[in-house]
Amino acid sequence: NTHTHTVCTIILVSVPSKYFKFVGGEPDPLEWGKVKPFGIYCIAFVASLYCNMRALSELNVETVIVFRAMSPIAVSILDYLYLGRSLPSLKSFTGLTVIVLGAISYVRNDLEFAQKGLQAYTWVGMYFFLICFLMVFGKSLVKDVELTLSGNVYYTNLLSLPLIAMFALGTGETNNAS
């Protein structure tokens, strides 16, 4: 039912905001040159939602939170490598390293990992990869594609809508919707 709820949220909030100017004024009009890069972002966005839901169905919430908490250190390194940004300060890097050490400690004591090994982390690992990609690619999009804040939100939600609807139909969620 998660995909169905996401589709309803997009329909009820994002799409009407274009016409009723709920948030941030009128978003930018759709232009093919801007739709293409957002298409890549939206595919990764929907895939990350799917991987997150699969991870939550197979693992406990704490494991997903631990993986999500580790994303800032990966993103800071990817920002440095691909966007030319500075590495974190020593103080920030130390804090991020403490988070990673805590995550490693968690994994060493995780029952799922003890029983299934790395296979237990397939979905959450894909989720981690995708959210790191989204954070870095999203920064690149905001920098390279000239849109207003409401335009960025509108493009993301409108272009994600058909993908989420396909997931909802493909997984049979619409049959169980309440």
Side-chain angles (χ1 to χ4, degrees):
N1 288 339
T2 303
H3 298 108
T4 305
H5 292 279
T6 304
V7 169
C8 292
T9 301
I10 291 170
I11 291 170
L12 295 174
V13 177
S14 299
V15 176
S17 71
K18 173 165 175 48
Y19 301 102
F20 300 112
K21 301 178 185 168
F22 289 159
V23 180
E26 185 174 336
D28 305 277
L30 291 175
E31 297 175 24
W32 179 246
K34 295 176 182 179
V35 167
K36 286 190 327 188
F38 268 89
I40 295 166
Y41 182 84
C42 291
I43 290 168
F45 172 68
V46 172
S48 74
L49 292 176
Y50 181 75
C51 290
N52 180 270
M53 292 300 108
R54 290 295 306 262
L56 287 170
S57 72
E58 294 183 16
L59 300 168
N60 57 41
V61 174
E62 293 84 1
T63 302
V64 177
I65 291 170
V66 165
F67 273 79
R68 180 75 165 93
M70 290 191 328
S71 65
I73 195 161
V75 169
S76 65
I77 293 167
L78 293 171
D79 281 351
Y80 172 76
L81 293 173
Y82 295 105
L83 299 179
R85 296 188 175 195
S86 300
L87 286 171
S89 67
L90 181 60
K91 184 177 180 181
S92 296
F93 187 77
T94 302
L96 293 170
T97 302
V98 169
I99 292 170
V100 171
L101 292 174
I104 290 169
S105 174
Y106 177 85
V107 167
R108 291 177 48 105
N109 295 297
D110 184 21
L111 190 57
E112 288 289 325
F113 182 75
Q115 292 174 349
K116 299 179 185 175
L118 283 177
Q119 182 183 359
Y121 293 160
T122 302
W123 287 110
V124 76
M126 291 190 319
Y127 170 65
F128 174 80
F129 170 79
L130 286 165
I131 59 171
C132 291
F133 170 80
L134 285 169
M135 288 182 203
V136 175
F137 189 68
K139 291 174 192 174
S140 175
L141 270 180
V142 169
K143 184 180 79 172
D144 296 341
V145 179
E146 291 186 34
L147 290 172
T148 62
L149 176 60
S150 58
N152 284 312
V153 172
Y154 180 65
Y155 269 55
T156 301
N157 289 338
L158 186 65
L159 297 174
S160 298
L161 183 61
L163 300 171
I164 292 172
M166 287 185 335
F167 267 115
L169 290 170
T171 59
E173 280 193 36
T174 55
N175 300 337
N176 301 329
S178 49

